[in-house]
Amino acid sequence: MSSPARKRAKKQADVDEVEFFKGISKVPYKPDAGPSDVLCYKHYNPAEVIHGKTMADWLRFSVCYWHTFRGVGLDPFGGPTITRHWDDGSESIENAKRRLRAAFEFLSKLGVKYWTFHDRDLAPEGADLEETNRNLDEITDLAKELMEKHGIKLLWNTCNLFAHPRFMNGAATNPDAHVVAYAAAQVKKGLEIGKKLGAENFVFWGGREGFQSLLNTDVLAELTHAANFFKMAVDYKEKIGFQGQLLIEPKPKEPTRHQYDYDAMTVVGFLKHFGLSDHFKINVEPNHTMLAGHSYEHDVVMASKFGMLGSVDSNTGSPDLGWDTDQFPMDVKNATLVMKAVIEQDGIAPGGLNFDAKVRRESTCLEDMFIAHIGAMDTFARGLRAAVKLIEGGVMKMMIADRYSSFKNGIGAKIAKGNATFEECEEYIKKAGEPKQISGQQEKYECVLNHYV
Ligand code: XUL
Ligand code: CO
């Protein structure tokens, strides 16, 4: 950034009324807009009531701070491509404040009610924990003020327990107790900040909680330490009266070769094993779900069926690649399948749909930030509308009821209730003989879904 531009940016830090996104006004709802009119919602109409709730309440959209306000387009092969005029690239408090002001203008013009952040993206890390915490106090004072001014709430905050070199071998699962204690001290502050800002959830994504090699890893010790770490978090949350829901976000790999929180069912098993399942739910990121070798909606559905779906990091990957691309979700069918699960559990609150997504390295304009979010929000609005029609139409529900109808009576009812024995089943087969073939009708189900998408 040139020196006059840097001076201008510095000045903006202290001025509340500077407009960062000149030429972009509050995004309107224009259902009849043409194909190239992309700075408007064509499907997302927040106040519209659909299937008993407003669209805003079903969707609870949230913007993430780390990609949208800290992303610079770095990749392993090249440096930053994305520069923002309000950001002088420094780790100063002034820069952090200016960035935050730009973020709230963005949220407000977009018409999104929630945001999410990592502690270290918000405020610079100081020389020691005390200084870092003071920085956080100063920046979260401003965040609180801006949240009140713009009527924006915190969906969740989280701690970055993976970027600093001290965490290279993990945080809660680090083989060095000193690092585990550091991570605990950091999360203590994270929960305090969550309480201060009225966070509706608090997320643990297991950054480097995993291993690169089993040869040097005592997996049972590490998992036990992780469970004890979570127990400390529950105790402290209760002690300070933090009301937010605790969430764990699964991911199978990256940055470590194997991440302990592999997928939704792994996390459910871990939580049940260590007696933590009453205190945590799951923040599913479909992009991670696909990295685990599942379909887009798989973990959303699995977590929901076990009563553990807390929130969704709404993004997507490229199924042709094997890594985490954090793209904006633009596939209406995938969005429909997620919203079907959300409607079936009567909403996602206190969670939401958080866009843990970044514009491509090549999408360098300010306008692209808006277009990406608007496009993703419209995708999910279409998904919501389609899922409502699918559910209200009732055809798929009837087909499924019919498919499982043999469990309504007789031996089926006994199996379903858990009252049957092997001997009774044998008796039944002696009388009833070979089961007749029943079609699974996958293609018919796919046609029914396509009817609504
Ligand atoms: C990383 C990821 C994180 C979490 C929050 O893949 O998804 O950004 O959502 O730490
Ligand atoms: Co995420």
Side-chain angles (χ1 to χ4, degrees):
M1 196 182 267
S2 71
S3 155
R6 186 162 297 170
K7 268 194 197 141
R8 260 200 317 279
K10 205 170 172 68
K11 263 196 191 157
Q12 284 176 355
D14 306 315
V15 187
D16 197 16
E17 297 310 325
V18 170
E19 192 178 12
F20 296 94
F21 298 90
K22 288 213 170 74
I24 300 179
S25 39
K26 180 139 180 109
V27 180
Y29 173 56
K30 290 205 287 183
D32 300 324
S36 57
D37 194 354
V38 284
L39 284 173
C40 61
Y41 298 112
K42 297 169 196 173
H43 305 276
Y44 179 54
N45 186 18
E48 183 182 328
V49 175
I50 170 167
H51 203 68
K53 290 190 213 296
T54 63
M55 290 185 92
D57 282 345
W58 279 120
L59 296 161
R60 293 172 60 83
F61 290 129
S62 163
V63 169
C64 86
Y65 198 73
W66 54 98
H67 287 313
T68 302
F69 287 89
R70 300 309 309 268
V72 289
L74 273 174
D75 77 7
F77 305 94
T81 56
I82 294 173
T83 48
R84 304 298 186 204
H85 67 85
W86 56 80
D87 197 320
D88 64 14
S90 76
E91 281 297 325
S92 71
I93 292 280
E94 292 72 34
N95 201 28
K97 288 187 177 172
R98 208 164 37 238
R99 221 186 261 130
L100 199 59
R101 289 207 157 96
F104 276 83
E105 184 187 321
F106 178 75
L107 285 157
S108 163
K109 284 186 167 170
L110 198 60
V112 163
K113 286 281 160 234
Y114 290 95
W115 69 307
T116 53
F117 66 83
H118 291 93
D119 48 2
R120 300 298 178 251
D121 288 331
L122 207 57
E125 188 142 3
D128 54 24
L129 189 66
E130 284 92 336
E131 193 190 340
T132 304
N133 287 352
R134 279 196 301 277
N135 291 346
L136 266 172
D137 289 339
E138 188 170 343
I139 300 295
T140 50
D141 282 349
L142 177 62
K144 196 166 172 3
E145 191 187 309
L146 291 169
M147 284 168 70
E148 278 159 17
K149 178 178 162 195
H150 293 279
I152 285 164
K153 297 193 261 184
L154 183 57
L155 187 68
W156 49 261
N157 61 316
T158 185
C159 289
N160 183 328
L161 301 172
F162 46 90
H164 193 283
R166 80 173 69 87
F167 296 124
M168 70 177 186
N169 287 305
T173 63
N174 198 295
D176 179 3
H178 194 145
V179 181
V180 178
Y182 199 106
Q186 191 174 328
V187 170
K188 174 178 177 289
K189 184 68 180 175
L191 290 169
E192 290 164 9
I193 286 170
K195 184 180 173 196
K196 170 175 169 179
L197 299 180
E200 299 191 15
N201 305 269
F202 183 90
V203 164
F204 294 88
W205 166 57
R208 291 179 196 272
E209 315 293 23
F211 52 81
Q212 305 288 27
S213 169
L214 273 174
L215 291 177
N216 65 1
T217 306
D218 183 342
V219 284
L220 188 56
E222 292 197 356
L223 284 167
T224 306
H225 299 162
N228 291 342
F229 189 94
F230 287 135
K231 284 176 190 159
M232 286 192 263
V234 171
D235 287 347
Y236 194 65
K237 167 193 144 118
E238 283 167 4
K239 183 169 174 192
I240 64 171
F242 171 59
Q243 302 288 322
Q245 170 69 51
L246 300 178
L247 300 171
I248 294 181
E249 180 177 329
K251 186 174 183 180
K253 54 187 163 192
E254 204 194 89
T256 69
R257 179 177 166 208
H258 175 89
Q259 304 270 126
Y260 287 128
D261 300 327
Y262 195 90
D263 63 1
M265 291 311 290
T266 309
V267 173
V268 169
F270 168 85
L271 291 171
K272 297 257 183 225
H273 179 82
F274 287 103
L276 285 159
S277 54
D278 289 345
H279 301 286
F280 286 83
K281 286 191 173 173
I282 297 176
N283 180 37
V284 174
E285 179 166 322
N287 190 28
H288 297 170
T289 309
M290 291 194 295
L291 289 180
H294 304 307
S295 65
Y296 186 89
E297 76 285 8
H298 176 276
D299 272 10
V300 168
V301 173
M302 297 307 273
S304 176
K305 294 299 173 196
F306 283 80
M308 297 293 276
L309 178 63
S311 200
V312 179
D313 264 6
S314 266
N315 65 7
T316 194
S318 283
D320 49 335
L321 300 175
W323 63 90
D324 192 5
T325 56
D326 285 333
Q327 286 165 236
F328 280 87
M330 298 286 183
D331 184 304
V332 177
K333 192 178 281 185
N334 282 340
T336 305
L337 294 168
V338 169
M339 290 318 296
K340 175 175 177 287
V342 168
I343 296 168
E344 283 169 355
Q345 67 164 39
D346 196 30
I348 190 100
L353 302 184
N354 174 51
F355 294 117
D356 186 357
K358 56 188 174 199
V359 290
R360 296 304 83 195
R361 186 165 186 266
E362 304 78 15
S363 303
T364 51
C365 296
L366 283 187
E367 219 184 56
D368 295 320
M369 289 168 69
F370 278 90
I371 295 169
H373 284 88
I374 293 168
M377 288 162 74
D378 257 357
T379 299
F380 268 86
R382 285 178 68 182
L384 170 64
R385 290 183 191 279
V388 164
K389 283 190 193 139
L390 173 70
I391 288 168
E392 289 182 350
V395 174
M396 200 177 274
K397 192 174 175 193
M398 263 163 52
M399 286 163 65
I400 291 172
D402 187 48
R403 191 164 191 229
Y404 290 87
S405 58
S406 62
F407 289 92
K408 287 271 172 264
N409 311 299
I411 190 71
K414 284 194 121 188
I415 293 171
K417 286 188 191 122
N419 297 333
T421 64
F422 270 11
E423 293 90 330
E424 282 173 310
C425 287
E426 186 187 45
E427 269 318 295
Y428 177 81
I429 293 305
K430 280 183 186 160
K431 280 191 211 122
E434 188 63 25
K436 57 177 195 311
Q437 197 178 54
I438 302 173
S439 171
Q441 299 182 301
Q442 181 178 325
E443 298 77 6
K444 183 170 176 186
Y445 281 83
E446 286 165 344
C447 291
V448 172
L449 174 64
N450 280 352
H451 179 85
Y452 296 104
V453 173

